[in-house]
Amino acid sequence: MPPLRQLSLALQAVRRTQIQTRKAQQYERLVVRSCSCSASPQSQHTVIVSSEAPANAQLNPTTSDLSPPPTDHRTLAQTHNLFVTSPYSPGSPLILPNGAYVFQKLQAFLRAQYPQFGFREVITPIIYKKSLWEKSGHWENYAEDMFSVQGRGATSQIPEADGGEDGEFGLKPMNCPGHCLLFREEIRSYRDLPVRLADFSALHRNEISGALTGLTRVRRFHQDDAHIFCRPDQILAEIEQTLKFVGMVYNTFGLGPYKLLLSTRPKDSFIGTVEEWDRAEEQLTKALNNTRSEWAINECDGAFYGPKIDIILKDSNGKEHQTATIQLDFQLPQRFDLQYQASPEELETGSQTSMDAGLDPALRRPVIVHRAIYGSIERFMALLIEHYAGKYPFWLSPRPAIILSLSSDPNVLEHVSRIQAVLSGLKPQDAPAASLPSSPKPLPLSTIHLPVDVDTSDRPLGKKIAEARVKKYNHIIVVGGKEVERGTMNMQIINQPNEEATVEMMQKILERDLTEKEHSKKTVNVGLDVARQYFETLVNSFL
């Protein structure tokens, strides 16, 4: 018997023993909401905690004791005007400007991390011919969850893609087939691997209408989707690196606790051989054990083309959601005939497997690691809305600051306008207070832009402050005649999820401690240059 198969049988025997000997309290049931490149959502799955994790393994901690918010994300989102829904497009939320700001910040945050993890972003079509989905296996295994579209596309010169003038198309539920098309456009050497492709394209899945809920269960959504094409000897390193990526992101947002689940081969509706599935599960098992974190086996819930590691996040109400996912795929490389020139070591050992059947001896097939950190950005936004309960970190907040005028004096209004321009990043603090020039120049891409609002209405200051508090601004800036004379502003720090760290940041910028009065009121009188530096530091520190 091949050693690989012996190892597989041994692993299965260990699992059976675990099931027989583990006490009832070591079992738990989770409602797992599938996302990323996974198969159709299922209602419940039995989760078995793995004894292969080290004795000192712990549930991945981020935040500990979260107090439940007063209500769910749909109501909380109204405070910041984040999104609305329409019966004209069920399951496809309409994102308002404030919501788009948060959405784009989430994208920008991941984009900023891609270089250190080796990802390059691509843009792929939303619609493909039915023949592509048949080739990938989605049409057979996922068709009922896809939107079918009748097209009038031009005929193709490639027989396998020729759907005719009025062929059937499918809106993509996932990006993997498109990324396979990109990979096979070039002849790859073993030196070129791993190739890491990231994609924020919109995806569509035909969820049943009764399951649609706000941002958590939708039909149109965006993933921070990526696919890593690597050699078999690179799999372990890529999975471990991805788990580190997940940990870094979730710690930044203060989310958690979260669990790691290994979802194994479905009982039916899977492609490939059992041997390939066993090999893939063994790779993921080894990576999970190396994390020295708690993980569990989620029997028979793998995608139809490979097993996966799902990250299950507990929200502020104690409800669990699937967010990030890491999936190992030996099937799509065969279906799309993906290949690379083998390394000298691979040639020397003759390390061809069933995946490489039919290939020239000098070639090998890559393995695909499907990866999403947020999962659905829309669902991740919903979790953040409830997690922060209106107190957003400054760098992510759709309402970081508002400037209130004490009077309608022209000098005060001019100073308010200057403060807004400087703090929002439109002008440097020493720029003239003129309006937009007749020949504007492009702003630098590196400039940090912030949506700073103003309220110069002729109302009592108390009412304007009360309204700003209700709208959950992170800073309330008050400007009157004295501030005009001094070229300063009164800035109050409020509504911060980490107020202590924010105050420390202000003291660092001021190069002094706040006075007792300033500290008690969280209010300080500062100049334009100090305020802008403070804002930029808050953004870059992800506070």
Side-chain angles (χ1 to χ4, degrees):
M1 184 180 295
L4 184 61
R5 186 60 181 161
Q6 290 177 345
L7 181 59
S8 171
L9 292 174
L11 178 61
Q12 293 173 10
V14 169
R15 290 177 183 168
R16 285 194 296 270
T17 303
Q18 293 167 5
I19 295 172
Q20 294 167 355
T21 59
R22 188 162 285 109
K23 294 180 181 179
Q25 62 264 32
Q26 289 177 299
Y27 291 80
E28 59 183 338
R29 289 187 179 271
L30 299 178
V31 177
V32 179
R33 293 189 168 186
S34 298
C35 196
S36 188
C37 306
S38 57
S40 304
Q42 301 178 27
S43 57
Q44 288 187 333
H45 310 284
T46 300
V47 177
I48 305 165
V49 177
S50 173
S51 66
E52 297 177 16
N56 62 347
Q58 296 180 351
L59 184 69
N60 299 279
T62 47
T63 55
S64 51
D65 185 20
L66 296 177
S67 56
T71 186
D72 73 17
H73 76 280
R74 289 167 291 181
T75 303
L76 288 167
Q78 295 176 16
T79 302
H80 282 95
N81 295 335
L82 300 180
F83 73 93
V84 296
T85 58
S86 169
Y88 289 104
S89 188
S92 300
L94 286 75
I95 309 295
L96 296 168
N98 282 358
Y101 179 83
V102 175
F103 184 97
Q104 290 163 355
K105 281 289 183 179
L106 292 175
Q107 286 183 316
F109 173 72
L110 274 195
R111 283 191 174 114
Q113 316 314 316
Y114 280 167
Q116 69 170 316
F117 289 95
F119 288 95
R120 300 188 68 185
E121 193 172 343
V122 297
I123 300 172
T124 51
I126 291 179
I127 185 171
Y128 293 97
K129 286 189 173 182
K130 175 183 175 182
S131 53
L132 178 79
W133 303 114
E134 290 175 329
K135 185 179 186 68
S136 67
H138 287 88
W139 205 264
E140 177 185 354
N141 294 278
Y142 206 84
E144 67 179 18
D145 296 295
M146 292 178 61
F147 286 100
S148 176
V149 180
Q150 199 66 27
R152 193 175 63 178
T155 57
S156 170
Q157 299 303 313
I158 304 174
E160 66 180 22
D162 192 353
E165 188 70 19
D166 294 300
E168 192 172 4
F169 290 73
L171 287 176
K172 69 177 178 183
M174 49 197 70
N175 288 305
C176 30
H179 290 187
C180 287
L181 295 180
L182 290 175
F183 181 87
R184 73 178 191 178
E185 278 299 301
E186 298 180 32
I187 298 174
R188 309 280 182 174
S189 163
Y190 70 94
R191 295 187 184 91
D192 299 326
L193 273 58
V195 172
R196 307 179 185 96
L197 303 179
D199 200 329
F200 282 111
S201 300
L203 304 177
H204 293 80
R205 296 184 186 175
N206 195 8
E207 300 278 3
I208 59 175
S209 59
L212 302 177
T213 307
L215 295 177
T216 58
R217 198 69 162 190
V218 294
R219 287 175 173 162
R220 179 184 184 270
F221 61 98
H222 301 74
Q223 280 185 340
D224 62 306
D225 205 4
H227 296 91
I228 303 167
F229 300 83
C230 63
R231 304 190 308 265
D233 64 298
Q234 296 172 323
I235 292 173
L236 187 59
E238 291 301 315
I239 293 173
E240 290 178 347
Q241 188 81 336
T242 302
L243 287 170
K244 291 177 184 177
F245 197 170
V246 171
M248 182 196 75
V249 170
Y250 283 40
N251 287 335
T252 299
F253 288 98
L255 288 172
Y258 63 87
K259 299 177 182 178
L260 302 173
L261 296 186
L262 172 58
S263 297
T264 58
R265 185 180 71 249
K267 290 181 179 178
D268 47 32
S269 297
F270 66 89
I271 57 179
T273 66
V274 173
E275 180 188 7
E276 289 165 347
W277 275 83
D278 289 341
R279 185 166 67 250
E281 289 178 15
E282 287 156 13
Q283 292 273 15
L284 293 181
T285 298
K286 188 172 182 181
L288 285 167
N289 284 337
N290 287 348
T291 66
R292 302 189 66 78
S293 300
E294 178 188 343
W295 63 277
I297 297 172
N298 191 13
E299 295 283 5
C300 305
D301 196 43
F304 66 85
Y305 49 75
K308 56 189 176 121
I309 297 172
D310 288 326
I311 282 75
I312 307 299
L313 180 71
K314 185 176 290 187
D315 66 19
S316 303
N317 288 316
K319 192 175 183 179
E320 292 177 319
H321 304 264
Q322 184 207 312
T323 50
T325 188
I326 306 166
Q327 302 172 5
L328 201 52
D329 185 357
F330 291 87
Q331 312 306 325
L332 288 184
Q334 297 176 68
R335 287 179 169 251
F336 283 88
D337 194 26
L338 306 184
Q339 51 194 258
Y340 67 91
Q341 296 170 350
S343 69
E345 292 78 14
E346 288 172 316
L347 292 175
E348 184 178 347
T349 58
S351 58
Q352 284 190 312
T353 67
S354 57
M355 281 182 61
D356 306 314
L359 283 183
D360 184 285
L363 301 174
R364 297 290 186 276
R365 294 206 192 281
V367 177
I368 299 177
V369 179
H370 304 249
R371 179 240 72 182
I373 305 296
Y374 295 149
S376 157
I377 298 181
E378 283 82 354
R379 180 183 297 171
F380 197 77
M381 277 183 63
L383 294 175
L384 290 179
I385 290 168
E386 295 186 2
H387 176 69
Y388 294 128
K391 287 190 173 184
Y392 291 93
F394 179 81
W395 72 273
L396 187 65
S397 175
R399 288 178 174 155
I402 187 169
I403 308 167
L404 311 178
S405 62
L406 269 173
S407 70
S408 298
D409 181 276
N411 292 328
V412 171
L413 298 182
E414 182 181 350
H415 192 50
V416 167
S417 180
R418 178 188 288 276
I419 292 172
Q420 183 189 32
V422 171
L423 295 188
S424 64
L426 294 177
K427 295 179 181 178
Q429 65 95 14
D430 56 351
S435 59
L436 191 68
S438 56
S439 300
K441 295 181 179 179
L443 294 171
L445 293 175
S446 58
T447 302
I448 295 173
H449 295 285
L450 299 168
V452 177
D453 296 330
V454 299
D455 184 351
T456 57
S457 61
D458 192 14
R459 295 184 298 158
L461 180 63
K463 287 188 176 181
K464 293 197 280 190
I465 290 176
E467 185 177 284
R469 287 180 175 275
V470 169
K471 290 184 176 180
K472 304 291 186 180
Y473 284 93
N474 295 109
H475 297 83
I476 296 177
I477 297 169
V478 178
V479 175
K482 290 183 180 178
E483 286 69 44
V484 173
E485 291 175 11
R486 299 171 183 169
T488 62
M489 69 193 81
N490 278 315
M491 179 185 294
Q492 183 181 19
I493 301 170
I494 62 166
N495 203 46
Q496 299 274 7
N498 193 342
E499 196 172 272
E500 245 181 71
T502 307
V503 170
E504 287 178 8
M505 190 66 68
M506 172 61 82
Q507 292 180 151
K508 186 176 179 180
I509 299 298
L510 290 172
E511 297 182 341
R512 66 172 178 84
D513 291 339
L514 298 187
T515 66
E516 187 176 335
K517 182 179 179 181
E518 289 172 332
H519 208 284
S520 64
K521 294 186 175 182
K522 300 295 187 295
T523 302
V524 62
N525 190 279
V526 294
L528 271 173
D529 54 342
V530 170
R532 176 62 186 178
Q533 184 185 355
Y534 163 70
F535 277 7
E536 289 180 350
T537 306
L538 285 182
V539 170
N540 290 327
S541 302
F542 299 113
L543 286 179

